[in-house]
Amino acid sequence: MTVNGADDVLLVHGGTPLEGEIRVRGAKNLVPKAMVAALLGSAPSRLRNVPDIRDVRVVRGLLQLHGVTVRPGEEPGELVLDPTHVESANVADIDAHAGSSRIPILFCGPLLHRLGHAFIPGLGGCDIGGRPIDFHFDVLRQFGAKIEKRADGQYLEAPQRLRGTKINLPYPSVGATEQVLLTAVLAEGVTELSNAAVEPEIEDLICVLQKMGAIIAMDTDRTIRVTGVDELGGYTHRALSDRLEAASWASAALATEGNVYVRGAQQRSMMTFLNTFRKVGGAFEIDDEGIRFWHPGGRLKSIALETDVHPGFQTDWQQPLVVALTQATGLSIVHETVYESRLGFTSALNQMGAHIQLYRECLGGSDCRFGQRNFLHSAVVSGPTKLEGADLVIPDLRGGFSYLIAALAAQGTSRVHGIDLINRGYENFMDKLVELGAKVELPGKALG
């Protein structure tokens, strides 16, 4: 189901536990990047377990603009990507995608290798704090790219073959690590990346590139070494499941006192979340096909929580879980260390009856890079509190799903505005809500 235009408001009649089964498919933070990687190959690639989300549609459109043939495969959720006839795209057509996604920045390396030039328009994405793209361009310059800033975006050229280099990340950024990987694999010589991100989605992207013929070694100290090769082929790959979506449904089950089986959820990539979920008082059961999450009754427990890069507690898990923490007994402390503005969504929860106070200090076990920069990046959640329905305007992807959880857990009816943003990362979320027994409706149009 596609939600847009006048249908961008959802009525949520709260107070009903979510119960039933839903399925999560490939990770939003891997699939679009694996699609970009297909640009590097000299033969078609086959990607399986692809979710029908907006980021996938954006990348599919950009690939097609550059001459890549993208068609459905033999099984549901499979794409076949043929980069045999890569070509330059019209600047106006590329610019039409500006503001809809940050993923176009990752086209730079592959296009420089294939065409010798690339154009990157202005970029969008969720407003959850600074995610500067300047570092991407600095890295590309180190590889030998020439970059010209123009009124409508950035124009890049590679007069000669890009060359391997040594790069040290000041912070283990996922996007920067992806940029280096997608550029280094065809660059001449060896690239050494220090302080790299090592999220499961990064490892899965490395698996994709290795299948294509890349030579990539990961050390235990966050160092990745890439030996450039002259040519890459295609790949056949089944994307790892979306651990961030799975955790969102788990938090929804906990906050609504429900019972949800998430088919496709995988223990290995969710171990840190599962430990925290159990500490709060949630219950789960793991089998070969997925994980069942439920509220076992009784009181939920307050906790102290710090977000961090993998293998720490992921920042994308924080917002949905905070909704459940409003129902825990006592004071929970949340220290956000990844995105400085990610706790802004709590103001709407307070309007619904939550008691959440934000602080500029680091309320955690260690100082972080935001502690002296005047950002409200720590929260104290006092509970349990009854939530009441309200008018809510979705601020970003994870915050938006958190508002949905709060509306589902609240008494009364909430009007949730801007739900189209949730389509960026949650496949068929409206249908899944109905399958779990949620009482939701589009104004003038009942669902289910």
Side-chain angles (χ1 to χ4, degrees):
M1 175 184 302
T2 300
V3 184
N4 51 41
D7 293 340
D8 205 24
V9 178
L10 184 68
L11 296 181
V12 180
H13 308 293
T16 301
L18 294 186
E19 295 186 346
E21 175 182 320
I22 53 96
R23 172 185 291 275
V24 296
R25 288 208 277 187
K28 165 190 170 291
N29 287 351
L30 177 276
V31 170
K33 291 65 177 295
M35 293 171 67
V36 173
L39 257 179
L40 293 161
S42 58
S45 291
R46 193 175 293 269
L47 183 60
R48 300 191 172 109
N49 203 27
V50 176
D52 181 18
I53 56 176
R54 196 167 75 202
D55 275 11
V56 167
R57 294 192 288 272
V58 168
V59 174
R60 180 174 185 159
L62 286 168
L63 288 171
Q64 290 172 329
L65 285 178
H66 287 92
V68 178
T69 301
V70 185
R71 62 176 177 81
E74 298 174 357
E75 64 179 60
E78 179 180 5
L79 290 179
V80 178
L81 308 102
D82 187 347
T84 306
H85 303 292
V86 173
E87 60 188 16
S88 299
N90 183 281
V91 169
D93 291 335
I94 299 174
D95 197 51
H97 289 270
S100 62
S101 172
R102 289 178 180 262
I103 295 171
I105 191 69
L106 296 179
F107 277 70
C108 291
L111 288 177
L112 288 172
H113 285 304
R114 293 298 305 270
L115 300 175
H117 61 267
F119 171 76
I120 303 300
L123 301 176
C126 290
D127 185 14
I128 52 177
R131 294 190 284 183
I133 63 170
D134 289 346
F135 186 81
H136 288 266
F137 295 127
D138 291 342
V139 164
L140 291 162
R141 287 189 185 94
Q142 286 185 248
F143 279 104
K146 307 296 182 183
I147 303 175
E148 177 187 348
K149 184 174 177 59
R150 298 181 178 177
D152 51 357
Q154 305 275 354
Y155 183 77
L156 299 88
E157 281 189 318
Q160 300 175 329
R161 182 180 177 184
L162 298 180
R163 302 178 305 278
T165 184
K166 283 193 174 185
I167 299 167
N168 179 63
L169 297 183
Y171 183 78
S173 160
V174 170
T177 300
E178 292 164 342
Q179 182 71 260
V180 172
L181 288 171
L182 291 167
T183 305
V185 285
L186 285 177
E188 183 178 1
V190 177
T191 297
E192 182 180 291
L193 177 63
S194 303
N195 202 27
V198 293
E199 271 69 4
E201 295 82 7
I202 292 290
E203 289 192 350
D204 214 36
L205 179 60
I206 289 174
C207 288
V208 166
L209 294 169
Q210 188 179 58
K211 287 178 177 180
M212 299 176 75
I215 301 173
I216 306 173
M218 292 184 70
D219 292 343
T220 56
D221 62 351
R222 291 187 176 273
T223 299
I224 297 176
R225 290 179 176 83
V226 183
T227 303
V229 297
D230 293 332
E231 184 180 29
L232 293 172
Y235 65 80
T236 296
H237 188 76
R238 181 173 296 277
L240 85 168
S241 291
D242 197 315
R243 64 200 173 106
L244 306 179
E245 181 184 356
S248 295
W249 292 111
S251 295
L254 194 59
T256 64
E257 300 185 3
N259 187 324
V260 177
Y261 181 73
V262 183
R263 188 170 297 277
Q266 298 169 327
Q267 177 186 16
R268 185 178 298 275
S269 63
M270 295 185 69
M271 292 182 73
T272 303
F273 175 84
L274 294 174
N275 286 335
T276 301
F277 190 81
R278 182 169 279 162
K279 288 177 183 177
V280 174
F284 61 87
E285 183 178 68
I286 302 166
D287 62 33
D288 291 342
E289 301 296 326
I291 305 176
R292 181 177 301 282
F293 299 93
W294 73 93
H295 189 309
R299 294 180 174 181
L300 298 182
K301 304 167 188 173
S302 56
I303 60 168
L305 176 66
E306 280 189 292
T307 65
D308 203 350
V309 295
H310 185 80
F313 192 92
Q314 302 296 281
T315 180
D316 289 307
W317 291 334
Q318 174 258 114
Q319 287 164 298
L321 188 65
V322 162
V323 180
L325 291 179
T326 67
Q327 305 308 303
T329 300
L331 297 178
S332 292
I333 299 173
V334 178
H335 182 206
E336 172 61 52
T337 75
V338 180
Y339 290 130
E340 65 269 27
S341 299
R342 194 145 223 175
L343 290 171
F345 81 106
T346 58
S347 61
L349 300 184
N350 285 337
Q351 292 173 20
M352 301 177 75
H355 293 159
I356 304 173
Q357 181 69 45
L358 302 186
Y359 295 88
R360 290 177 172 82
E361 293 78 16
C362 294
L363 300 183
S366 58
D367 290 339
C368 77
R369 57 200 176 122
F370 307 139
Q372 305 301 320
R373 294 172 57 194
N374 210 32
F375 293 115
L376 293 168
H377 72 293
S378 294
V380 174
V381 185
S382 177
T385 55
K386 289 186 177 180
L387 301 180
E388 302 288 342
D391 266 21
L392 305 169
V393 180
I394 286 177
D396 59 75
L397 176 61
R398 306 300 170 187
F401 198 86
S402 302
Y403 284 2
L404 275 184
I405 296 173
L408 292 164
Q411 297 300 313
T413 298
S414 297
R415 293 177 62 89
V416 186
H417 302 259
I419 57 171
D420 185 52
L421 188 55
I422 299 177
N423 288 316
R424 279 194 58 226
Y426 292 87
E427 181 186 41
N428 300 329
F429 76 94
M430 298 278 285
D431 296 334
K432 291 176 182 177
L433 286 173
V434 173
E435 290 170 10
L436 295 176
K439 296 178 180 177
V440 296
E441 60 178 306
L442 299 168
K445 189 191 304 182
L447 300 174

